[in-house]
Amino acid sequence: MTSAIETEALTRRFRRQLAVDGITLEVPCGSVFALIGPNGAGKTTFIKLLMNLIRPTRGIARVLGTDTRRMGPAAFARIGYVSENQKLPGWMTTSELLAYLRPFYPTWDDALCRKVQRDLGLDDGKKLRALSRGTRMKAALLASLAYRPELIVLDEPFTGLDPLVREELITGLLELPGEQPWTVLVASHDIDEVERLADWVGFVEGGRLLFAEPVAALLARFRLVEIVADAGAALTAPLRPSWLPLGTAGRTLRFVDTQHVGTDAAAQIQALYAGADVRITPLPLREVFVALARQASAGRQSPAVERI
């Protein structure tokens, strides 16, 4: 099995609303895959389909080789799931929650559980309902890691958390799997954390998957281009379909080249704007996200869709 998650034309409609629109996706085993997109893009609905919390209108999803519509206790015992809206039994302490869950998971690792609890600084003296939201999220993550799942699914895990708690969650995900690495699917709009965590990324907008690829490949093909014309010169060259316009200010034209590939890409731009000062710089993932989100909100199809 090379893919932890596979979907084929996965679709979910709520009456007139098409929440997930024909998503075909593969999440490689052992990867940390970030599903990013603006609020309301369909990320949470997609994850609920994967977890069999809702059924697809059409299409197929397989998680760890099992059709999600046929997943039972054995399949769920291989998956860890943490959601920003997850409810925990508030009358339990952390240790009581762990003791309750332990018999359900044959792969439960007591040594790992103790290590994660210690590393996350989880105090067992309070009921879960008395803990801060960040501490409850850490408890939920601990409960999902202690049985060494093959797949961990996180739905907006960083929302509203302070930087220290975010750092602890990321450390737990990246450093604890040891010799048996797990696959992580994280849906989030917190791009700064995603960039530190993920090695694959998919962008969802309006229920559609616009692209999915390794983060390194994505960042390699996106460039900010600034064309500064000489005084009195006009910027007349037309923008290519793969360029996302950012506007013109004075003598400066700015756009994002989404297909800046090949050794001659810069030379081709320079040739179009002969005599102008051409400045080309890499973009961090946050700026890539902003450019794509701006394009989507303007009602234009992103040229990044060509990468699917």
Side-chain angles (χ1 to χ4, degrees):
M1 183 175 61
T2 59
S3 298
I5 296 171
E6 299 173 273
T7 68
E8 299 174 11
L10 191 64
T11 301
R12 174 66 192 205
R13 180 182 292 276
F14 296 97
R15 296 184 179 179
R16 295 183 178 181
Q17 180 186 4
L18 193 57
V20 173
D21 186 4
I23 290 182
T24 297
L25 172 68
E26 292 188 15
V27 175
C29 288
S31 66
V32 179
F33 193 107
L35 197 65
I36 64 175
N39 287 330
K43 302 185 299 296
T44 293
T45 301
F46 180 73
I47 284 181
K48 287 182 177 180
L49 289 168
L50 296 182
M51 296 294 98
N52 199 28
L53 297 176
I54 57 176
R55 291 296 183 100
T57 304
R58 62 177 180 273
I60 297 173
R62 287 181 288 272
V63 174
L64 300 178
T66 300
D67 187 320
T68 57
R69 296 166 297 183
R70 298 181 175 86
M71 289 199 304
F76 284 116
R78 302 165 64 196
I79 302 169
Y81 174 60
V82 179
S83 168
E84 64 170 333
N85 297 317
Q86 193 163 353
K87 294 182 179 180
L88 299 175
W91 52 272
M92 288 185 176
T93 65
T94 300
S95 290
E96 289 170 342
L97 174 65
L98 298 174
Y100 170 76
L101 294 174
R102 185 182 293 109
F104 294 101
Y105 298 98
T107 57
W108 190 277
D109 187 330
D110 283 318
L112 176 65
C113 183
R114 289 192 296 270
K115 174 176 171 51
V116 176
Q117 186 169 6
R118 182 176 63 254
D119 290 349
L120 293 181
L122 284 168
D123 181 7
D124 194 42
K126 297 181 179 179
K127 302 293 186 181
L128 291 171
R129 63 169 169 261
L131 302 178
S132 67
R133 182 181 180 280
T135 305
R136 289 197 303 272
M137 284 293 293
K138 289 195 288 185
L141 182 65
L142 167 60
S144 295
L145 297 183
Y147 51 93
R148 291 193 176 275
E150 298 172 48
L151 171 66
I152 301 168
V153 178
L154 307 174
D155 185 13
E156 297 290 358
F158 307 116
T159 301
L161 302 185
D162 65 61
L164 178 59
V165 174
R166 294 181 181 210
E167 182 67 32
E168 291 172 333
L169 292 179
I170 290 174
T171 299
L173 288 169
L174 294 181
E175 296 184 2
L176 292 175
E179 297 179 358
Q180 296 178 316
W182 39 50
T183 304
V184 179
L185 174 65
V186 52
S188 180
H189 60 266
D190 289 294
I191 308 303
D192 292 336
E193 307 302 340
V194 162
E195 187 165 12
R196 298 170 54 218
L197 181 63
D199 50 22
W200 276 75
V201 63
F203 184 85
V204 177
E205 194 280 324
R208 298 178 61 241
L209 180 70
L210 299 188
F211 64 82
E213 62 186 288
V215 171
L218 174 69
L219 296 181
R221 69 182 177 89
F222 272 73
R223 290 292 185 273
L224 171 64
V225 180
E226 297 174 289
I227 312 293
V228 182
D230 291 334
L235 297 169
T236 57
L239 293 181
R240 294 178 174 177
S242 60
W243 294 351
L244 304 181
L246 299 179
T248 302
R251 295 184 293 114
T252 302
L253 167 68
R254 302 174 73 247
F255 60 86
V256 174
D257 183 358
T258 68
Q259 300 294 337
H260 196 83
V261 294
T263 57
D264 61 342
Q268 291 177 13
I269 296 174
Q270 183 69 70
L272 285 174
Y273 297 96
D277 180 15
V278 177
R279 305 167 185 172
I280 301 175
T281 55
L283 285 172
L285 187 60
R286 167 176 287 280
E287 296 304 316
V288 172
F289 172 80
V290 169
L292 292 173
R294 183 184 294 118
Q295 185 82 349
S297 66
R300 298 185 295 267
Q301 177 173 297
S302 169
V305 76
E306 297 172 6
R307 293 289 297 185
I308 293 179

